[in-house]
Amino acid sequence: MSITLNIVKVGARGDGIAEEGGQRYFVPFALPGEIVEAEPGDARGEGIVAELLDVLAPSRHREKAPCAHFGVCGGCALQHWRLDIYSAWKVSLIERVLKQRGVQAPAFEQPLVGTPGERRRVDFVLRRQGKRVLAGFHEKASAKVVDIGVCVIARPTLAALLAPLREALVEILPDGASADAIANESDSGIDVLIRPHKRMDLSIDRRQALVEFAAKANLARLSWGDRTTAEPIMTQRPPVLILGEATVELPPAAFLQATKRAEQTMRAAVTAWTGDAPKLADLFAGVGSLTLGRPGKLALFESDRPAVAAADAASRKLGGNRISAERRDLFRNPLLEKDLNAFDAVVLDPPRAGAAAQVAELARSKVKKIIYASCDPGSFARDARALQDGGYRLEKLMPIDQFLWSAHVELIALFTHR
């Protein structure tokens, strides 16, 4: 039975939140100030998920979504919210968790707001269904695949892969089988890794179909299999990332900042905030996208073997001995206080879980400057409090929105030692 709800705010997952009869409801696609009709469903956390049936009194900030798939495709949650209000909400997510942790924060830098058509990394899902292949994204909270016509958040070059992917994979995937197509737009062209969900052997005919797809789509490289054991099917030119004076040859499905503009903005922040620091450590460095190509001595630490190999190869091409790349699991084996004190500044860009073990050592160190790039405000706030308790001051913070119209927000911040 449907109920009428008054939406009071948007929660951290992007759902509208209502309180009715002592019960909390999460209503996807509802906005603050709206009165909606919704159908209660399953419990989630401290509330109940409700399906939006009708907007009885719309918000003045509600807009027409630019994508025809919005509301079904699980890739975007907030296309219907006016951009400036949506952007302010993302900033508020960071402000709220910092306040909850008791972190003293300055006024934020101007946020980097995402724009349509700039995502350079996209993971498409592919599924053979009878005589056709569905290509797109999963539905919200579902294993079903939405067959996408145009993706408004992706780079046009990546969205253009959908049609040739359907055509090629119908010759390769058995009926009912599925795969992911991980596509990166590198500085030399598109790099695609097709990762089948179940192990598949490639016949000669299937390989030929993949080669024809790569040539037709003018891919820089096409690979097949799991990321760590990817088999190159066709390479027309090495996929590269140009970082200042460094050129990194990327491994298949390499981690990149989701947009080029965000990468450039974060690199500029690192350069400005570290100043002329002669010795810099980059922790959770990936391929070195935030620091490679800068002057001075640089030590990169990363657990992913292909990423370390790529960064090391790029460093060797530069010559000299001022850059080193070391494979190290910083969760289990963080750099210790005495190791960290050898550096003038530290950059870290950990995964969503943050870097509790490494930050505990940083908090005991005397490193003058720490630049922390985070993809999760919650884990960042926890780590920021540990640094604050260790004598560091949060001096600058810039919100970064690389995942337009999602509930996901990132940031880059500067800490200085008191």
Side-chain angles (χ1 to χ4, degrees):
M1 185 176 71
S2 66
I3 57 175
T4 300
L5 297 171
N6 292 283
I7 306 301
V8 295
K9 63 181 179 179
V10 171
R13 294 191 182 188
D15 299 331
I17 296 180
E19 303 278 352
E20 182 68 29
Q23 179 65 63
R24 173 171 289 189
Y25 294 91
F26 305 109
V27 188
F29 314 119
L31 295 176
E34 292 186 332
I35 301 173
V36 304
E37 183 182 358
E39 182 75 31
D42 297 331
R44 188 185 80 197
E46 298 179 351
I48 294 174
V49 178
E51 179 186 357
L52 178 65
L53 301 178
D54 192 16
V55 180
L56 304 176
S59 164
R60 62 189 177 90
H61 299 143
R62 177 176 283 272
E63 295 188 338
K64 180 177 173 57
C67 178
H69 305 288
F70 179 69
V72 180
C73 174
C76 294
L78 296 162
Q79 287 189 11
H80 58 309
W81 209 0
R82 204 176 80 189
L83 186 62
D84 59 333
I85 308 300
Y86 149 87
S87 181
W89 169 76
K90 282 207 166 178
V91 172
S92 76
L93 295 177
I94 302 171
E95 292 172 335
R96 185 162 63 245
V97 293
L98 291 177
K99 184 177 180 180
Q100 288 170 349
R101 290 280 184 174
V103 176
Q104 299 170 13
F108 292 174
E109 306 289 303
Q110 187 70 23
L112 178 76
V113 181
T115 59
E118 68 172 352
R119 278 276 295 278
R120 64 173 177 178
R121 176 186 172 93
V122 179
D123 291 7
F124 294 120
V125 60
L126 313 165
R127 181 169 296 157
R128 172 79 181 272
Q129 188 171 293
K131 296 182 178 181
R132 60 194 289 253
V133 168
L134 306 179
F137 303 101
H138 286 294
E139 291 185 11
K140 183 178 176 66
S142 172
K144 293 181 180 179
V145 178
V146 183
D147 200 36
I148 296 294
V150 175
C151 179
V152 298
I153 62 169
R155 294 276 300 145
T157 50
L158 298 183
L161 292 175
L162 287 164
L165 273 170
R166 291 185 184 96
E167 183 181 341
L169 270 293
V170 78
E171 304 293 331
I172 295 166
L173 292 178
D175 191 16
S178 56
D180 297 320
I182 304 169
N184 278 336
E185 186 184 67
S186 76
D187 291 326
S188 59
I190 299 173
D191 184 29
V192 174
L193 170 66
I194 297 179
R195 181 176 59 197
H197 292 178
K198 291 185 178 179
R199 182 180 173 84
M200 281 181 56
D201 293 325
L202 290 178
S203 64
I204 293 177
D205 289 342
R206 286 172 172 169
R207 289 176 183 275
Q208 185 58 36
L210 287 172
V211 168
E212 290 173 3
F213 157 65
K216 182 177 180 179
N218 191 27
L219 301 183
R221 179 178 62 196
L222 175 64
S223 306
W224 175 273
D226 187 74
R227 180 178 176 275
T228 55
T229 58
E231 176 191 355
I233 300 297
M234 183 179 183
T235 302
Q236 300 193 87
R237 52 198 175 275
V240 300
L241 198 62
I242 299 173
L243 304 168
E245 60 179 352
T247 299
V248 183
E249 219 173 284
L250 297 170
F255 171 81
L256 304 180
Q257 298 298 332
T259 73
K260 185 72 173 177
R261 190 163 58 98
E263 177 189 276
Q264 292 171 338
T265 300
M266 294 166 80
R267 282 180 61 85
V270 169
T271 298
W273 295 350
T274 57
D276 57 357
K279 294 181 180 179
L280 179 66
D282 188 350
L283 315 181
F284 307 94
V287 298
S289 61
L290 297 185
T291 56
L292 261 181
R294 70 178 296 279
K297 288 196 171 183
L298 173 64
L300 300 107
F301 299 89
E302 167 61 45
S303 63
D304 182 71
R305 190 186 301 275
V308 173
D312 183 60
S315 302
R316 291 176 185 275
K317 289 177 186 176
L318 293 174
N321 60 355
R322 64 182 182 85
I323 303 173
S324 64
E326 178 182 325
R327 184 166 180 249
R328 183 164 178 155
D329 184 341
L330 295 169
F331 291 109
R332 298 179 179 178
N333 185 25
L335 267 67
L336 302 179
E337 174 189 353
K338 61 183 178 63
D339 304 318
L340 295 163
N341 287 337
F343 298 100
D344 301 288
V346 168
V347 175
L348 69 159
D349 185 9
R352 291 183 67 86
Q358 185 59 79
V359 164
E361 294 295 329
L362 280 164
R364 287 191 284 268
S365 77
K366 297 298 186 288
V367 177
K368 294 177 182 177
K369 295 180 178 180
I370 297 171
I371 293 88
Y372 192 137
S374 171
C375 59
D376 184 82
S379 61
F380 170 79
R382 178 203 65 209
D383 291 347
R385 180 55 193 261
L387 290 173
Q388 179 178 284
D389 291 346
Y392 283 89
R393 180 177 65 244
L394 176 54
E395 192 166 306
K396 293 180 182 292
L397 189 151
M398 179 190 297
I400 305 283
D401 184 12
Q402 298 194 71
F403 294 88
L404 182 64
W405 295 318
S406 75
H408 187 63
V409 64
E410 303 182 337
L411 62 93
I412 188 166
L414 168 66
F415 293 86
T416 57
H417 199 284
R418 298 188 186 191

